[in-house]
Amino acid sequence: MVKSTMTSGSVLVHKLFPMILVLLLIAISCSRSLPNKASSTTFTAGNEAELREGAARVNEFRQELLSSGSRIVSTANSNLWEQVTLKGDYGELKDVEVVLQIGKQLEMKEPHLSASLRAYVAGKAAEQEFARLDARLKTAIQGK
């Protein structure tokens, strides 16, 4: 009779190893599609005219993104702010997500305009495209 030298713990590890390996490979493949570059910017208006001008810039930028093939994936509104999330590819950038938020009242304590940008950046051309899009986003929010 042959005696087994494996303990119950090592048998369990031996049986679970293939499943652990599969889960690890899934996690690695999913991590490639996650955004690997991000940026955000805010602006606080000093008066109603700055708030209106800023809102117009942000809405113009939103239209640019929609014209380039991005799509609106969510919107949210309240008495204080409006938020829209857009997703799509942009030039060399893949899986781009832009969140734009516009304040509706000057009395808000938070910044009146804000935006975040996330994208999967693969390669030098995509890095340059991200920098251009980020600069355009900051101009839309800050007006500079």
Side-chain angles (χ1 to χ4, degrees):
M1 181 170 195
V2 176
K3 282 189 169 183
S4 173
T5 59
M6 295 177 95
T7 64
S8 63
S10 63
V11 170
L12 182 61
V13 169
H14 183 69
K15 287 183 179 180
L16 290 177
F17 181 75
M19 184 170 63
I20 292 169
L21 183 61
V22 168
L23 291 175
L24 181 63
L25 291 173
I26 290 171
I28 290 169
S29 68
C30 288
S31 69
R32 287 186 184 165
S33 65
L34 295 176
N36 66 352
K37 190 133 179 132
S39 175
S40 65
T41 189
T42 62
F43 175 77
T44 301
N47 56 51
E48 288 292 331
E50 286 182 356
L51 181 58
R52 280 192 308 276
E53 290 167 5
R57 287 191 311 270
V58 172
N59 285 325
E60 181 181 314
F61 181 68
R62 177 189 339 187
Q63 289 305 315
E64 286 178 28
L65 291 174
L66 291 170
S67 296
S68 73
S70 294
R71 66 193 184 292
I72 295 175
V73 294
S74 71
T75 59
N77 286 295
S78 76
N79 291 338
L80 297 176
W81 52 267
E82 171 189 350
Q83 180 176 304
V84 63
T85 302
L86 300 103
K87 287 189 177 182
D89 293 342
Y90 188 91
E92 297 292 321
L93 299 174
K94 304 299 177 207
D95 301 324
V96 176
E97 179 181 88
V98 176
V99 179
L100 303 170
Q101 186 168 328
I102 301 172
K104 295 180 180 179
Q105 297 179 5
L106 195 58
E107 297 81 24
M108 291 175 51
K109 291 181 182 177
E110 298 87 22
H112 298 104
L113 304 173
S114 65
S116 65
L117 166 64
R118 295 187 303 165
Y120 179 73
V121 179
K124 202 170 221 176
E127 282 279 346
Q128 293 169 345
E129 190 81 52
F130 185 91
R132 283 191 296 271
L133 183 58
D134 186 43
R136 178 62 187 105
L137 176 71
K138 287 182 173 147
T139 299
I141 296 297
Q142 299 172 353
K144 297 176 184 175

